[in-house]
């Protein structure tokens, strides 16, 4: 299992477009990928789970990756977050 924290820098937080792109990036891997904020957790492969967390600019989220391709998923998702959120 791998995990990292990321503070959202997008002025609009995680809205529909980046949430959809995160789902697309997460679905490329077989590992379980979750996003957590303030004790609530959502599946990164489901857009409504991500949107339901209502992540705003300045919020810190935790991404957890667990599975057989977790190393590749970790690098890809971390890079995605840094470039898009």
């Amino acid at each position: 299992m791998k995990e990292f924290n990321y503070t959202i820098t997008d002025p609009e937080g995680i809205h529909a477009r980046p949430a959809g792109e995160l789902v697309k990036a997460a679905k490329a891997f077989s590992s379980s990928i979750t996003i957590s904020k303030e004790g609530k957790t959502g599946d990164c492969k489901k857009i409504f789970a991500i949107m339901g967390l209502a992540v705003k600019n300045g919020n810190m989220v935790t991404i957890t990756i667990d599975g057989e391709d977790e190393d590749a998923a970790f690098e890809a998702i971390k890079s995605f977050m840094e470039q898009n959120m």
Side-chain angles (χ1 to χ4, degrees):
M1 180 170 75
K2 293 188 165 249
E3 186 173 274
F4 68 92
N5 294 320
Y6 184 76
T7 301
I8 303 302
T9 58
D10 186 310
E12 297 177 25
I14 300 180
H15 52 93
R17 184 191 49 77
E21 291 175 6
L22 177 56
V23 169
K24 185 177 178 181
K27 283 186 173 182
F29 300 96
S30 63
S31 293
S32 167
I33 304 172
T34 60
I35 183 170
S36 302
K37 181 193 106 176
E38 300 171 356
K40 295 181 181 178
T41 301
D43 184 344
C44 283
K45 296 180 182 179
K46 298 179 179 176
I47 193 165
F48 291 115
I50 298 169
M51 296 296 293
L53 295 176
V55 180
K56 305 291 183 206
N57 180 24
N59 288 158
M60 183 169 49
V61 296
T62 301
I63 304 289
T64 306
I65 304 166
D66 189 24
E68 60 188 44
D69 59 357
E70 65 188 30
D71 292 330
F74 176 85
E75 294 303 323
I77 300 299
K78 186 169 185 186
S79 176
F80 172 85
M81 295 294 288
E82 291 168 351
Q83 294 173 16
N84 298 289
M85 297 200 196

